[in-house]
Each structure stands twice: as structure tokens, then as C-alpha cells.
Amino acid sequence: MSATSLNEIVLFELPARSGATQLLAELSSSHLAWMERGDEVSVVGVLLNSDDGDLACLLRSVETWVEQQGLLAIRFEVDGRTYVLQPTLTARVHTAA
């Protein structure tokens, strides 16, 4: 019997519950996803699919979503490590133009 390891789950931290609800809706069509509400932040958890490139694809999708929402960055955790995801400089330049 295999258990889900930490590197199969990605956690995205959002400052507002409404943003977490929107991200959850965005990701639920392609991944098993859930939301945990906290007092200061909400967390959207995503179970990675078995595809080799799923993490990269997921991060690109969330990066696009972050840019569309006008957020500067969000934190995410994978494999027990915390990272910051922010839209690329090119994406920010296009939205400013």
C-alpha cells in the first residue's frame, strides 16, 4: 500500500479566501485540489498527476493565474520546501503597457 509523499502535493498560500476559492476553481478541472481556510491566509492543496511534467505545467498555470489576478507573488510549498511564485517580468511588462 503506497502513501502519498510530500513531493506529490503542492500547497499554494493566498492572502485572501476569495483568491483561494478562485484558484481552487481554476485547478479543480485538471487536478484533485482542496482548500484550507485560516485566519490570515488560505491554502490551496493540489495533488500532482502522474505525468512527468505535471509540476512544471501546474506552476505555469498558477503563474498565469497570479498574473491575471494582479498579484505580485504567492508562496507555494512542494517537497517540504517553500518557494515564491511570481509572474515573469515579460508578463508584468505586457500588463503595464
Side-chain angles (χ1 to χ4, degrees):
M1 187 166 153
S2 68
T4 302
S5 66
L6 282 177
N7 60 355
E8 295 173 333
I9 296 174
V10 183
L11 303 173
F12 296 97
E13 185 179 297
L14 293 127
R17 189 170 85 192
S18 61
T21 302
Q22 292 170 358
L23 181 59
L24 178 62
E26 179 79 19
L27 299 176
S28 291
S29 64
S30 60
H31 291 84
L32 174 62
W34 63 94
M35 181 175 70
E36 301 268 337
R37 289 180 254 175
D39 292 335
E40 296 181 20
V41 297
S42 292
V43 174
V44 174
V46 180
L47 181 63
L48 292 172
N49 296 324
S50 59
D51 302 340
D52 286 340
D54 192 45
L55 177 60
C57 186
L58 174 65
L59 293 177
R60 282 191 299 273
S61 295
V62 174
E63 179 184 37
T64 299
W65 181 87
V66 167
E67 190 268 323
Q68 290 171 346
Q69 298 302 309
L71 299 171
L72 296 177
I74 62 170
R75 286 190 288 212
F76 72 97
E77 182 179 313
V78 65
D79 198 20
R81 295 184 181 110
T82 302
Y83 303 91
V84 175
L85 179 68
Q86 62 188 56
T88 61
L89 180 58
T90 305
R92 284 182 280 176
V93 169
H94 285 111
T95 59

